[in-house]
Amino acid sequence: MSQIHAKSPKHCANKQGLAVDKLKFNKKLFYTFSTFLLSLSALIFLIWLVLHPSKPQFSLKEADIYQLNLSGPHLLNSSIQATLLSNNPNKKVGIYYDILQVYASYKGQQITLDTSLPPFYQAHEESNLLSASLVGNGLPVAPSFGYEVGRDQSAGNLLLNLKANGRLRWRVGTWVSGRYRFNVNCIAIMPFGPSLPTGPLSTKQGTQCSITL
């Protein structure tokens, strides 16, 4: 004789009730998680709008060439003094300069070694003067280097690029960002006539520099 198992209406009702409660809990959990994500995204976007930092600004205040001569067919000796002005235009964001290296280039050729400046912190809306002594001894240059310098001398002006690159971090209150790479390019135009000056080739005409971040 086979046995017949019958479930009471009360048992079925309890099972259906558990399923409904579980579905309600899952929906509530989903809505809570979605609301949290939307709120977090809106907060991050608002902070980005308010505190999105502007790039630092650099300008060339002065550059002096004390030595720029060939010691061999394609070997260059150079000595250049450069002064840059760094400005933080942000009202609420400070800048940590962890790495800052400066060098000079001419016609796309690097004509000094990299000079590292000490790390420093720049508060909001603060400016700092940065001085660098740039030198190169026996640096290899292109065969056309002497010709290019002679052509600039005939034209009456020597065009030099003072460049900087490094890593910086943003600071907002106690929060500090990760490192960002940046590059600075300043153009110095120096009077350079047929007769060589008794002192260094100089420019004291401040020029704004371009920066990529």
Side-chain angles (χ1 to χ4, degrees):
M1 180 184 296
S2 62
Q3 294 182 345
I4 299 175
H5 299 278
K7 296 182 180 179
S8 66
K10 183 178 180 180
H11 178 78
C12 293
N14 289 339
K15 189 174 182 180
Q16 290 176 356
L18 290 175
V20 171
D21 290 341
K22 185 177 181 181
L23 181 61
K24 288 182 178 180
F25 176 77
N26 289 338
K27 286 184 177 180
K28 185 177 180 180
L29 183 63
F30 173 76
Y31 289 135
T32 302
F33 186 69
S34 299
T35 302
F36 172 75
L37 284 181
L38 288 174
S39 300
L40 182 61
S41 299
L43 179 62
I44 293 175
F45 181 68
L46 181 62
I47 293 175
W48 183 85
L49 286 178
V50 174
L51 300 177
H52 181 57
S54 299
K55 293 188 295 185
Q57 299 168 346
F58 285 81
S59 58
L60 176 64
K61 304 304 293 181
E62 185 176 354
D64 301 296
I65 299 179
Y66 291 93
Q67 184 181 19
L68 193 67
N69 61 274
L70 294 170
S71 58
H74 311 306
L75 298 177
L76 177 71
N77 294 329
S78 59
S79 176
I80 301 170
Q81 183 71 31
T83 302
L84 303 174
L85 178 66
S86 170
N87 176 55
N88 177 8
N90 296 286
K91 294 183 178 181
K92 299 180 180 180
V93 182
I95 304 175
Y96 284 105
Y97 288 96
D98 295 328
I99 301 174
L100 184 58
Q101 296 180 320
V102 184
Y103 65 94
S105 70
Y106 175 75
K107 305 293 185 183
Q109 303 176 75
Q110 185 168 340
I111 59 173
T112 68
L113 298 175
D114 294 343
T115 295
S116 295
L117 300 183
F120 66 97
Y121 173 73
Q122 191 172 57
H124 51 83
E125 296 186 305
E126 184 179 41
S127 297
N128 298 89
L129 279 175
L130 310 173
S131 295
S133 296
L134 313 176
V135 295
N137 293 311
L139 293 180
V141 292
S144 61
F145 182 86
Y147 167 78
E148 296 289 351
V149 172
R151 191 170 68 170
D152 279 355
Q153 187 173 14
S154 299
N157 287 302
L158 181 73
L159 191 148
L160 194 69
N161 290 84
L162 281 305
K163 297 188 176 186
N165 55 60
R167 305 287 189 277
L168 62 77
R169 291 176 293 156
W170 308 108
R171 175 181 174 180
V172 181
T174 58
W175 176 83
V176 179
S177 74
R179 284 183 172 182
Y180 290 84
R181 182 195 304 267
F182 70 94
N183 296 280
V184 180
N185 183 27
C186 310
I187 298 176
I189 301 176
M190 304 179 176
F192 187 35
S195 58
L196 294 177
T198 54
L201 293 178
S202 301
T203 176
K204 294 179 174 61
Q205 182 179 4
T207 58
Q208 196 68 25
C209 307
S210 62
I211 178 170
T212 57
L213 181 64

